[in-house]
Amino acid sequence: MSRLDSFIRRLEAQRRVLDWAAAAITGRDGLVLELGLGNGRTYDHLREILPERVIYAFDREARANPRSLPPPEALVLGDMAQTLPVFAATHGRCAVLLHVDATTGVPERDAVALAWLPGHVAALAADDALIISGSELIDEALLVTPLPEGVPLGRYFAYRRRAKA
Ligand SMILES: C[S@@+](CC[C@H](N)C(=O)[O-])C[C@H]1O[C@@H](n2cnc3c(N)ncnc32)[C@H](O)[C@@H]1O
């Protein structure tokens, strides 16, 4: 498969998963967190399909298309290895949905560079929160949950936050 075809499939899978996740949190309170604002494409989609939700976006720097920039009070800049624990200390396990899109596109690289990420995700997720991710997240608090139909295996990952005992 060409890299163009692979890119198109990744975007289709991403949209399908975002739409599915937005429907899955209907009726549940909590924040939505976008970990990896990047160009702002998925943030923009989330705010379109979840207009009533408070959505915070995180990234090292604000490089998004100006049309997809969150308001300053909902944008957390800096290395997430530092900003996520600070946010968790203030807000606790506040999120009903987390979209993790910090991937470099190279799973072997992500496994090393983002090894700290699953623990921080678990620390922000409310009981039974839905976590969708472009890279695999391994943490005992995160239970693998099935993705919607039509999302190729390994292209996206979904988890539920185990309730704290
Ligand atoms: C794949 S891009 C996100 C794409 C974005 N969701 C979109 O739809 O346009 C990954 C983003 O994660 C950010 N990122 C990766 N590791 C990070 C870290 N440790 N701290 C903050 N941001 C990080 C990168 O700066 C990059 O913008």
PDB file of all heavy atoms in Angstrom, residues 113-140:
ATOM      1  N   ALA A 113       9.653   7.063  23.162  1.00  0.00           N
ATOM      2  CA  ALA A 113       9.506   8.503  23.442  1.00  0.00           C
ATOM      3  C   ALA A 113       8.278   8.798  24.301  1.00  0.00           C
ATOM      4  O   ALA A 113       8.262   9.784  25.039  1.00  0.00           O
ATOM      5  CB  ALA A 113       9.427   9.277  22.133  1.00  0.00           C
ATOM      6  N   LEU A 114       7.250   7.948  24.210  1.00  0.00           N
ATOM      7  CA  LEU A 114       5.996   8.231  24.921  1.00  0.00           C
ATOM      8  C   LEU A 114       5.712   7.196  26.014  1.00  0.00           C
ATOM      9  O   LEU A 114       4.564   7.000  26.411  1.00  0.00           O
ATOM     10  CB  LEU A 114       4.827   8.281  23.925  1.00  0.00           C
ATOM     11  CG  LEU A 114       4.944   9.323  22.798  1.00  0.00           C
ATOM     12  CD1 LEU A 114       3.798   9.159  21.792  1.00  0.00           C
ATOM     13  CD2 LEU A 114       4.941  10.744  23.363  1.00  0.00           C
ATOM     14  N   ALA A 115       6.771   6.583  26.526  1.00  0.00           N
ATOM     15  CA  ALA A 115       6.587   5.511  27.528  1.00  0.00           C
ATOM     16  C   ALA A 115       5.879   6.033  28.782  1.00  0.00           C
ATOM     17  O   ALA A 115       5.183   5.276  29.459  1.00  0.00           O
ATOM     18  CB  ALA A 115       7.946   4.918  27.890  1.00  0.00           C
ATOM     19  N   TRP A 116       6.030   7.314  29.085  1.00  0.00           N
ATOM     20  CA  TRP A 116       5.438   7.911  30.288  1.00  0.00           C
ATOM     21  C   TRP A 116       3.944   8.232  30.100  1.00  0.00           C
ATOM     22  O   TRP A 116       3.222   8.501  31.052  1.00  0.00           O
ATOM     23  CB  TRP A 116       6.167   9.225  30.613  1.00  0.00           C
ATOM     24  CG  TRP A 116       6.354  10.064  29.393  1.00  0.00           C
ATOM     25  CD1 TRP A 116       7.433  10.026  28.547  1.00  0.00           C
ATOM     26  CD2 TRP A 116       5.432  10.997  28.819  1.00  0.00           C
ATOM     27  NE1 TRP A 116       7.240  10.889  27.495  1.00  0.00           N
ATOM     28  CE2 TRP A 116       6.018  11.508  27.634  1.00  0.00           C
ATOM     29  CE3 TRP A 116       4.171  11.468  29.184  1.00  0.00           C
ATOM     30  CZ2 TRP A 116       5.396  12.442  26.820  1.00  0.00           C
ATOM     31  CZ3 TRP A 116       3.542  12.396  28.376  1.00  0.00           C
ATOM     32  CH2 TRP A 116       4.155  12.874  27.203  1.00  0.00           C
ATOM     33  N   LEU A 117       3.477   8.224  28.854  1.00  0.00           N
ATOM     34  CA  LEU A 117       2.146   8.766  28.545  1.00  0.00           C
ATOM     35  C   LEU A 117       0.974   7.958  29.131  1.00  0.00           C
ATOM     36  O   LEU A 117       0.051   8.553  29.699  1.00  0.00           O
ATOM     37  CB  LEU A 117       2.010   8.917  27.022  1.00  0.00           C
ATOM     38  CG  LEU A 117       0.778   9.616  26.477  1.00  0.00           C
ATOM     39  CD1 LEU A 117       0.581  10.998  27.090  1.00  0.00           C
ATOM     40  CD2 LEU A 117       0.878   9.746  24.955  1.00  0.00           C
ATOM     41  N   PRO A 118       0.963   6.620  29.041  1.00  0.00           N
ATOM     42  CA  PRO A 118      -0.215   5.885  29.532  1.00  0.00           C
ATOM     43  C   PRO A 118      -0.540   6.160  31.000  1.00  0.00           C
ATOM     44  O   PRO A 118      -1.718   6.312  31.361  1.00  0.00           O
ATOM     45  CB  PRO A 118       0.168   4.418  29.311  1.00  0.00           C
ATOM     46  CG  PRO A 118       1.176   4.452  28.208  1.00  0.00           C
ATOM     47  CD  PRO A 118       1.944   5.728  28.392  1.00  0.00           C
ATOM     48  N   GLY A 119       0.477   6.291  31.839  1.00  0.00           N
ATOM     49  CA  GLY A 119       0.232   6.560  33.262  1.00  0.00           C
ATOM     50  C   GLY A 119      -0.427   7.920  33.458  1.00  0.00           C
ATOM     51  O   GLY A 119      -1.334   8.069  34.291  1.00  0.00           O
ATOM     52  N   HIS A 120      -0.008   8.905  32.690  1.00  0.00           N
ATOM     53  CA  HIS A 120      -0.600  10.242  32.797  1.00  0.00           C
ATOM     54  C   HIS A 120      -2.037  10.243  32.276  1.00  0.00           C
ATOM     55  O   HIS A 120      -2.892  10.954  32.797  1.00  0.00           O
ATOM     56  CB  HIS A 120       0.228  11.255  32.012  1.00  0.00           C
ATOM     57  CG  HIS A 120       1.574  11.531  32.617  1.00  0.00           C
ATOM     58  ND1 HIS A 120       1.896  11.207  33.907  1.00  0.00           N
ATOM     59  CD2 HIS A 120       2.694  12.098  32.101  1.00  0.00           C
ATOM     60  CE1 HIS A 120       3.138  11.571  34.171  1.00  0.00           C
ATOM     61  NE2 HIS A 120       3.647  12.111  33.076  1.00  0.00           N
ATOM     62  N   VAL A 121      -2.279   9.454  31.236  1.00  0.00           N
ATOM     63  CA  VAL A 121      -3.645   9.332  30.701  1.00  0.00           C
ATOM     64  C   VAL A 121      -4.549   8.735  31.777  1.00  0.00           C
ATOM     65  O   VAL A 121      -5.641   9.251  32.063  1.00  0.00           O
ATOM     66  CB  VAL A 121      -3.640   8.468  29.419  1.00  0.00           C
ATOM     67  CG1 VAL A 121      -5.051   8.051  29.020  1.00  0.00           C
ATOM     68  CG2 VAL A 121      -2.945   9.215  28.280  1.00  0.00           C
ATOM     69  N   ALA A 122      -4.092   7.665  32.405  1.00  0.00           N
ATOM     70  CA  ALA A 122      -4.902   7.009  33.440  1.00  0.00           C
ATOM     71  C   ALA A 122      -5.185   7.968  34.597  1.00  0.00           C
ATOM     72  O   ALA A 122      -6.264   7.928  35.197  1.00  0.00           O
ATOM     73  CB  ALA A 122      -4.183   5.752  33.942  1.00  0.00           C
ATOM     74  N   ALA A 123      -4.221   8.849  34.892  1.00  0.00           N
ATOM     75  CA  ALA A 123      -4.381   9.782  36.019  1.00  0.00           C
ATOM     76  C   ALA A 123      -5.394  10.887  35.719  1.00  0.00           C
ATOM     77  O   ALA A 123      -5.838  11.583  36.625  1.00  0.00           O
ATOM     78  CB  ALA A 123      -3.032  10.406  36.372  1.00  0.00           C
ATOM     79  N   LEU A 124      -5.750  11.050  34.455  1.00  0.00           N
ATOM     80  CA  LEU A 124      -6.708  12.098  34.077  1.00  0.00           C
ATOM     81  C   LEU A 124      -8.092  11.543  33.756  1.00  0.00           C
ATOM     82  O   LEU A 124      -9.069  12.299  33.667  1.00  0.00           O
ATOM     83  CB  LEU A 124      -6.184  12.847  32.840  1.00  0.00           C
ATOM     84  CG  LEU A 124      -5.058  13.836  33.130  1.00  0.00           C
ATOM     85  CD1 LEU A 124      -4.309  14.189  31.858  1.00  0.00           C
ATOM     86  CD2 LEU A 124      -5.644  15.092  33.773  1.00  0.00           C
ATOM     87  N   ALA A 125      -8.184  10.249  33.538  1.00  0.00           N
ATOM     88  CA  ALA A 125      -9.433   9.642  33.070  1.00  0.00           C
ATOM     89  C   ALA A 125     -10.344   9.298  34.255  1.00  0.00           C
ATOM     90  O   ALA A 125      -9.913   8.661  35.226  1.00  0.00           O
ATOM     91  CB  ALA A 125      -9.124   8.383  32.266  1.00  0.00           C
ATOM     92  N   ALA A 126     -11.605   9.701  34.152  1.00  0.00           N
ATOM     93  CA  ALA A 126     -12.604   9.320  35.155  1.00  0.00           C
ATOM     94  C   ALA A 126     -12.885   7.812  35.043  1.00  0.00           C
ATOM     95  O   ALA A 126     -12.549   7.185  34.027  1.00  0.00           O
ATOM     96  CB  ALA A 126     -13.887  10.107  34.898  1.00  0.00           C
ATOM     97  N   ASP A 127     -13.513   7.260  36.067  1.00  0.00           N
ATOM     98  CA  ASP A 127     -13.914   5.846  35.991  1.00  0.00           C
ATOM     99  C   ASP A 127     -14.693   5.612  34.706  1.00  0.00           C
ATOM    100  O   ASP A 127     -15.619   6.366  34.380  1.00  0.00           O
ATOM    101  CB  ASP A 127     -14.822   5.481  37.179  1.00  0.00           C
ATOM    102  CG  ASP A 127     -14.033   5.329  38.471  1.00  0.00           C
ATOM    103  OD1 ASP A 127     -12.792   5.416  38.443  1.00  0.00           O
ATOM    104  OD2 ASP A 127     -14.690   5.130  39.520  1.00  0.00           O
ATOM    105  N   ASP A 128     -14.346   4.568  33.992  1.00  0.00           N
ATOM    106  CA  ASP A 128     -15.041   4.152  32.767  1.00  0.00           C
ATOM    107  C   ASP A 128     -14.927   5.169  31.623  1.00  0.00           C
ATOM    108  O   ASP A 128     -15.660   5.064  30.630  1.00  0.00           O
ATOM    109  CB  ASP A 128     -16.523   3.846  33.070  1.00  0.00           C
ATOM    110  CG  ASP A 128     -17.086   2.894  32.033  1.00  0.00           C
ATOM    111  OD1 ASP A 128     -16.360   1.983  31.601  1.00  0.00           O
ATOM    112  OD2 ASP A 128     -18.249   3.082  31.617  1.00  0.00           O
ATOM    113  N   ALA A 129     -14.027   6.135  31.757  1.00  0.00           N
ATOM    114  CA  ALA A 129     -13.798   7.082  30.644  1.00  0.00           C
ATOM    115  C   ALA A 129     -13.334   6.305  29.424  1.00  0.00           C
ATOM    116  O   ALA A 129     -12.744   5.220  29.532  1.00  0.00           O
ATOM    117  CB  ALA A 129     -12.738   8.102  31.039  1.00  0.00           C
ATOM    118  N   LEU A 130     -13.597   6.893  28.276  1.00  0.00           N
ATOM    119  CA  LEU A 130     -13.166   6.294  27.013  1.00  0.00           C
ATOM    120  C   LEU A 130     -11.869   6.977  26.570  1.00  0.00           C
ATOM    121  O   LEU A 130     -11.779   8.215  26.592  1.00  0.00           O
ATOM    122  CB  LEU A 130     -14.268   6.478  25.974  1.00  0.00           C
ATOM    123  CG  LEU A 130     -14.076   5.844  24.610  1.00  0.00           C
ATOM    124  CD1 LEU A 130     -13.863   4.328  24.706  1.00  0.00           C
ATOM    125  CD2 LEU A 130     -15.304   6.123  23.735  1.00  0.00           C
ATOM    126  N   ILE A 131     -10.919   6.166  26.192  1.00  0.00           N
ATOM    127  CA  ILE A 131      -9.633   6.689  25.704  1.00  0.00           C
ATOM    128  C   ILE A 131      -9.424   6.132  24.303  1.00  0.00           C
ATOM    129  O   ILE A 131      -9.466   4.908  24.107  1.00  0.00           O
ATOM    130  CB  ILE A 131      -8.466   6.252  26.614  1.00  0.00           C
ATOM    131  CG1 ILE A 131      -8.648   6.856  28.011  1.00  0.00           C
ATOM    132  CG2 ILE A 131      -7.120   6.684  26.027  1.00  0.00           C
ATOM    133  CD1 ILE A 131      -8.894   5.865  29.083  1.00  0.00           C
ATOM    134  N   ILE A 132      -9.235   7.004  23.355  1.00  0.00           N
ATOM    135  CA  ILE A 132      -8.952   6.550  21.994  1.00  0.00           C
ATOM    136  C   ILE A 132      -7.571   7.075  21.628  1.00  0.00           C
ATOM    137  O   ILE A 132      -7.202   8.186  22.000  1.00  0.00           O
ATOM    138  CB  ILE A 132     -10.035   7.006  20.993  1.00  0.00           C
ATOM    139  CG1 ILE A 132     -10.288   8.504  21.110  1.00  0.00           C
ATOM    140  CG2 ILE A 132     -11.318   6.217  21.195  1.00  0.00           C
ATOM    141  CD1 ILE A 132     -11.266   9.042  20.071  1.00  0.00           C
ATOM    142  N   SER A 133      -6.809   6.258  20.924  1.00  0.00           N
ATOM    143  CA  SER A 133      -5.402   6.603  20.748  1.00  0.00           C
ATOM    144  C   SER A 133      -4.869   6.101  19.416  1.00  0.00           C
ATOM    145  O   SER A 133      -5.210   5.001  18.968  1.00  0.00           O
ATOM    146  CB  SER A 133      -4.599   5.978  21.901  1.00  0.00           C
ATOM    147  OG  SER A 133      -3.219   6.225  21.724  1.00  0.00           O
ATOM    148  N   GLY A 134      -4.011   6.917  18.832  1.00  0.00           N
ATOM    149  CA  GLY A 134      -3.349   6.510  17.593  1.00  0.00           C
ATOM    150  C   GLY A 134      -2.175   5.594  17.845  1.00  0.00           C
ATOM    151  O   GLY A 134      -1.601   5.049  16.903  1.00  0.00           O
ATOM    152  N   SER A 135      -1.788   5.448  19.109  1.00  0.00           N
ATOM    153  CA  SER A 135      -0.701   4.527  19.435  1.00  0.00           C
ATOM    154  C   SER A 135      -1.145   3.673  20.618  1.00  0.00           C
ATOM    155  O   SER A 135      -2.029   4.065  21.389  1.00  0.00           O
ATOM    156  CB  SER A 135       0.572   5.307  19.769  1.00  0.00           C
ATOM    157  OG  SER A 135       0.295   6.263  20.770  1.00  0.00           O
ATOM    158  N   GLU A 136      -0.508   2.519  20.753  1.00  0.00           N
ATOM    159  CA  GLU A 136      -0.906   1.594  21.813  1.00  0.00           C
ATOM    160  C   GLU A 136      -0.543   2.186  23.180  1.00  0.00           C
ATOM    161  O   GLU A 136       0.535   2.762  23.339  1.00  0.00           O
ATOM    162  CB  GLU A 136      -0.178   0.256  21.606  1.00  0.00           C
ATOM    163  CG  GLU A 136      -0.770  -0.853  22.403  1.00  0.00           C
ATOM    164  CD  GLU A 136      -0.141  -2.191  22.064  1.00  0.00           C
ATOM    165  OE1 GLU A 136       0.903  -2.218  21.374  1.00  0.00           O
ATOM    166  OE2 GLU A 136      -0.699  -3.212  22.501  1.00  0.00           O
ATOM    167  N   LEU A 137      -1.443   2.038  24.158  1.00  0.00           N
ATOM    168  CA  LEU A 137      -1.189   2.526  25.512  1.00  0.00           C
ATOM    169  C   LEU A 137      -1.231   1.335  26.455  1.00  0.00           C
ATOM    170  O   LEU A 137      -2.256   0.645  26.526  1.00  0.00           O
ATOM    171  CB  LEU A 137      -2.260   3.541  25.932  1.00  0.00           C
ATOM    172  CG  LEU A 137      -2.439   4.782  25.045  1.00  0.00           C
ATOM    173  CD1 LEU A 137      -3.605   5.622  25.542  1.00  0.00           C
ATOM    174  CD2 LEU A 137      -1.160   5.614  25.003  1.00  0.00           C
ATOM    175  N   ILE A 138      -0.146   1.111  27.156  1.00  0.00           N
ATOM    176  CA  ILE A 138      -0.124  -0.039  28.067  1.00  0.00           C
ATOM    177  C   ILE A 138      -0.025   0.458  29.503  1.00  0.00           C
ATOM    178  O   ILE A 138       0.962   1.091  29.893  1.00  0.00           O
ATOM    179  CB  ILE A 138       1.043  -0.988  27.715  1.00  0.00           C
ATOM    180  CG1 ILE A 138       0.838  -1.501  26.291  1.00  0.00           C
ATOM    181  CG2 ILE A 138       1.119  -2.153  28.709  1.00  0.00           C
ATOM    182  CD1 ILE A 138       1.965  -2.321  25.739  1.00  0.00           C
ATOM    183  N   ASP A 139      -1.111   0.196  30.250  1.00  0.00           N
ATOM    184  CA  ASP A 139      -1.160   0.570  31.666  1.00  0.00           C
ATOM    185  C   ASP A 139      -2.232  -0.307  32.298  1.00  0.00           C
ATOM    186  O   ASP A 139      -3.283  -0.537  31.687  1.00  0.00           O
ATOM    187  CB  ASP A 139      -1.533   2.057  31.817  1.00  0.00           C
ATOM    188  CG  ASP A 139      -1.443   2.524  33.263  1.00  0.00           C
ATOM    189  OD1 ASP A 139      -2.369   2.244  34.053  1.00  0.00           O
ATOM    190  OD2 ASP A 139      -0.428   3.146  33.619  1.00  0.00           O
ATOM    191  N   GLU A 140      -1.983  -0.756  33.512  1.00  0.00           N
ATOM    192  CA  GLU A 140      -2.946  -1.707  34.112  1.00  0.00           C
ATOM    193  C   GLU A 140      -4.316  -1.075  34.363  1.00  0.00           C
ATOM    194  O   GLU A 140      -5.311  -1.800  34.483  1.00  0.00           O
ATOM    195  CB  GLU A 140      -2.386  -2.323  35.405  1.00  0.00           C
ATOM    196  CG  GLU A 140      -2.065  -1.316  36.472  1.00  0.00           C
ATOM    197  CD  GLU A 140      -1.597  -1.982  37.770  1.00  0.00           C
ATOM    198  OE1 GLU A 140      -1.234  -3.181  37.734  1.00  0.00           O
ATOM    199  OE2 GLU A 140      -1.621  -1.294  38.797  1.00  0.00           O
TER     200      GLU A 140
END
